[in-house]
Amino acid sequence: MKAVYRYGCKSVKKSLLVSCFFCLSMGVAYAAQPPENPGAETGGGQGAMQASVVTADMNVTDKMVEASPASGKNWLASGQGYSNQRFSVLKQINTKSISQLTPVAIAQTGYTASFETTPIVVNGVMFITTPMVNSKQALIAMNAVTGQTLWKYVYTDGLTQICCGPVNRGATVSNGNVYFLTVDNHLVDVDAKNGKEVWITKVADAQAGYSETMAPQVYDNQVIIGSAGGEWPIRGFIAAYDANTGKQNWRFNTTDSKKSWEGDSWKTGGGTVWTTPSIDPKLGLVIFSTGNPNPDLDGSKRLGDNLYTDSIVALHLKDGSLAWYYQEVKHDVWDYDAVSNVVLFNTMDHGKVVPAAGEAGKTAFFYIVNRETGKLIRRSEPFDMQKNMFTPPSKEGVQVLPGANGGTDWAPPAYSPLTHYIYIMGMNQLMTFKTDNNAGDIPGQIRLGSTFKNVDHGIQNGTFTAIDVNTGKIAWNDTVPQPTMGGALVTAGNVAFMGEGNGWFDAFNATTGKKIWHFYLGAGVNAPPVAYEVDGREYIAVASGGNFQMTYPLGDVVAIFALPKSST
């Protein structure tokens, strides 16, 4: 693994905030190391450093997760509830008060690399996961107000194969346990009170090219996961594991073996599932998006539509059987995965309110389907530039927009039931696609099939867009200097939050799109923010650690913001 360089403070000073921002502004760089004295490690390299035992109630139930969006006190699942809306009903921080929003804690993890975690907050305790640094990654429980570490579980990875950074996008909490995935393909159950390992299960083979980066989802005593690795000749899947034992209950393979694939190409056809699925408890469905077919950019040996890649898919929760699907891109040769989290909401369809599921595609369209049937209701106006889209790669090269990153990539959007807008982070990256890398099917080796690269002096910027889900029309669209990757949050205070790769953490008027606040964190803000309440005070938290794929400045902090106590 190449050396990773850290931007930030090597140690916590008495004046933490000042010293951190001084180091960040000076651009001090040194080789990243795991935290000193990471704690005793036991068999297989796993261990926990216990600073104190969590005393708050950690008994999170399915009903609590379902109800959490209406309360706003906690952030109990990656997308705030099972619908992945990333909406908070809290409104103490609003368009009038936000000018007073300031950091109250800067918590350093000591793990400096692409930092993409979504914090989970349960009764004043925050759980975050770190990226992998020097083959180690951590699950940390901290005080959600002060950032003080309560306990830390350290995991040592074995063999890993990754395309896009040593990332981890978060954990989930259920019935007193914290579940998270490791880059080397293990699902880990840790006691939420003390950080001690309960069980650990291997879910996929790193040698073949699988990796795990997603935040799991827990429902009905099942831990639901997928897997990354779509650049390798592997078969994508989504699976459910017993939350008490770690035993697999069911697995659904996302490349169909009976149709839409030439010969046996489905066996290594990609279609990975690497962002957190949504759950519809009423319909009994798990709904998720699927990645690109493999080889990514060469379809000559996998003729057909290549189901169920580049799709929104719904399965029956009880047994993992297929309920419906909608394919966004048939026979993809542009790496146009459907990878952003599926969001559940209601929308208008021919004068009636219907249950819907939406996904922000790499194509720069937001797709809305009926979540009972999978039938397309509408496709939005494009939220990013489009040029030569769906023109196949050639030996001479084709300049295409969106590029291979999208559109939008994995960054989860946010939905407000007040404005009926979906808030999407996007990017304009003009790329050239060429058919000059037709690698064969070699197990365990990356297989793209062609190449793509940014066009010299071509457009490279980012967007933040609000789309009306009832019409598909763009309500507003803002441009930022660099491609955006991280995730959005929207609140009942009519504020939409997102971060930039240059270190700015931004807030917008959710109705008009006017930027109303920003704060400089130095390292790229390339992770989704969350909102929660402790003792009647609203907090906003976000990881600031940059992004490997975009080469944004790296760091290792979780920043916690609030209004002055006199204002709350």
Side-chain angles (χ1 to χ4, degrees), residues 512-527:
T512 67
K514 180 182 178 181
K515 186 184 289 187
I516 52 179
W517 175 90
H518 66 172
F519 191 91
Y520 187 64
L521 285 168
V525 184
N526 301 122

Side-chain angles (χ1 to χ4, degrees), residues 20 39 54 122 131 203 295 337 341 345 367 373 427 448 460 508 538:
C20 266
V54 171
V122 184
V203 297
D337 319 39
N341 300 83
F345 50 86
Y367 300 87
T373 65
M427 59 188 89
L448 296 177
Q460 289 280 321
F508 300 78
E538 181 181 353

Side-chain angles (χ1 to χ4, degrees), residues 308-365:
Y308 302 97
T309 65
D310 291 13
S311 299
I312 305 171
V313 180
L315 306 180
H316 296 289
L317 275 163
K318 61 182 180 180
D319 59 9
S321 60
L322 181 67
W324 54 257
Y325 69 91
Y326 172 79
Q327 191 172 35
E328 297 175 6
V329 181
K330 301 178 187 297
H331 191 71
D332 176 18
V333 292
W334 306 272
D335 201 24
Y336 283 163
D337 319 39
V339 293
S340 183
N341 300 83
V342 172
V343 183
L344 307 185
F345 50 86
N346 293 332
T347 193
M348 298 299 297
D349 184 16
H350 294 88
K352 296 182 179 179
V353 177
V354 299
E359 199 273 335
K362 278 192 176 182
T363 56
F365 294 119

Side-chain angles (χ1 to χ4, degrees), residues 368-386:
I368 302 175
V369 301
N370 185 305
R371 73 171 179 266
E372 294 178 319
T373 65
K375 181 181 179 181
L376 182 69
I377 296 173
R378 65 180 56 89
R379 189 182 72 176
S380 76
E381 296 178 331
F383 52 83
D384 285 322
M385 296 180 180
Q386 296 173 330

Side-chain angles (χ1 to χ4, degrees), residues 94-238:
N94 53 52
T95 55
K96 293 183 179 179
S97 64
I98 196 167
S99 62
Q100 302 177 67
L101 189 66
T102 55
V104 295
I106 301 291
Q108 294 180 285
T109 68
Y111 289 75
T112 302
S114 298
F115 201 7
E116 300 180 357
T117 191
T118 293
I120 299 296
V121 180
V122 184
N123 296 328
V125 179
M126 180 184 294
F127 299 91
I128 64 109
T129 58
T130 73
M132 180 182 68
V133 177
N134 294 342
S135 296
K136 294 183 184 295
Q137 57 185 112
L139 169 68
I140 302 173
M142 62 176 64
N143 185 303
V145 174
T146 67
Q148 177 188 5
T149 295
L150 301 175
W151 56 252
K152 182 183 298 181
Y153 173 93
V154 178
Y155 179 88
T156 302
D157 286 273
L159 173 68
T160 61
Q161 295 200 78
I162 50 177
C163 83
C164 310
V167 302
N168 188 285
R169 298 191 177 93
T172 191
V173 180
S174 179
N175 295 316
N177 297 285
V178 190
Y179 303 91
F180 79 106
L181 289 156
T182 68
V183 180
D184 71 348
N185 301 293
H186 287 83
L187 175 60
V188 185
D189 176 6
V190 173
D191 190 308
K193 290 282 189 178
N194 54 37
K196 293 182 178 180
E197 184 181 298
V198 178
W199 54 255
I200 184 168
T201 299
K202 183 177 179 179
V203 297
D205 182 12
Q207 185 71 54
Y210 291 97
S211 59
E212 293 290 346
T213 58
M214 69 184 296
Q217 188 78 276
V218 179
Y219 181 77
D220 193 24
N221 205 45
Q222 297 191 110
V223 186
I224 301 171
I225 69 162
S227 180
E231 288 69 38
W232 279 260
I234 57 177
R235 192 181 190 193
F237 70 88
I238 183 170

Side-chain angles (χ1 to χ4, degrees), residues 3-41:
V4 179
Y5 289 92
R6 171 177 181 164
Y7 292 78
C9 297
K10 191 170 184 178
S11 60
V12 179
K13 307 292 185 182
K14 182 177 180 180
S15 179
L16 177 62
L17 192 60
V18 174
S19 63
C20 266
F21 292 142
F22 174 77
C23 289
L24 289 167
S25 65
M26 293 298 290
V28 178
Y30 55 92
Q33 298 292 333
E36 296 180 6
N37 301 318
E41 296 179 2

Side-chain angles (χ1 to χ4, degrees), residues 233-444:
I234 57 177
R235 192 181 190 193
F237 70 88
I238 183 170
Y241 290 81
D242 186 288
N244 294 325
T245 67
K247 181 181 178 181
Q248 182 177 293
N249 290 339
W250 54 256
R251 178 175 294 219
F252 177 86
N253 293 309
T254 55
T255 58
D256 187 83
S257 62
K258 298 180 181 179
K259 56 185 177 181
S260 76
W261 293 86
E262 179 185 23
D264 289 338
S265 58
W266 56 271
K267 293 181 179 180
T268 56
T272 52
V273 181
W274 48 278
T275 51
T276 305
S278 58
I279 302 288
D280 187 324
K282 182 178 179 181
L283 295 177
L285 299 176
V286 53
I287 309 174
F288 55 95
S289 54
T290 60
N292 57 272
N294 189 277
D296 301 41
L297 310 176
D298 179 9
S300 63
K301 295 182 180 179
R302 51 171 174 83
L303 300 180
D305 288 350
N306 302 149
L307 293 172
Y308 302 97
T309 65
D310 291 13
S311 299
I312 305 171
V313 180
L315 306 180
H316 296 289
L317 275 163
K318 61 182 180 180
D319 59 9
S321 60
L322 181 67
W324 54 257
Y325 69 91
Y326 172 79
Q327 191 172 35
E328 297 175 6
V329 181
K330 301 178 187 297
H331 191 71
D332 176 18
V333 292
W334 306 272
D335 201 24
Y336 283 163
D337 319 39
V339 293
S340 183
N341 300 83
V342 172
V343 183
L344 307 185
F345 50 86
N346 293 332
T347 193
M348 298 299 297
D349 184 16
H350 294 88
K352 296 182 179 179
V353 177
V354 299
E359 199 273 335
K362 278 192 176 182
T363 56
F365 294 119
F366 185 68
Y367 300 87
I368 302 175
V369 301
N370 185 305
R371 73 171 179 266
E372 294 178 319
T373 65
K375 181 181 179 181
L376 182 69
I377 296 173
R378 65 180 56 89
R379 189 182 72 176
S380 76
E381 296 178 331
F383 52 83
D384 285 322
M385 296 180 180
Q386 296 173 330
K387 175 183 178 180
N388 295 328
M389 195 164 71
F390 303 133
T391 301
S394 67
K395 289 184 178 180
E396 297 75 23
V398 178
Q399 291 188 0
V400 177
L401 278 168
N405 291 321
T408 191
D409 200 88
W410 64 269
Y415 169 76
S416 170
L418 303 181
T419 62
H420 302 290
Y421 294 168
I422 190 84
Y423 301 86
I424 301 171
M425 299 175 68
M427 59 188 89
N428 294 305
Q429 291 181 291
L430 183 63
M431 291 187 179
T432 299
F433 288 73
K434 298 182 68 175
T435 53
D436 60 2
N437 182 30
N438 293 299
D441 181 4
I442 304 175

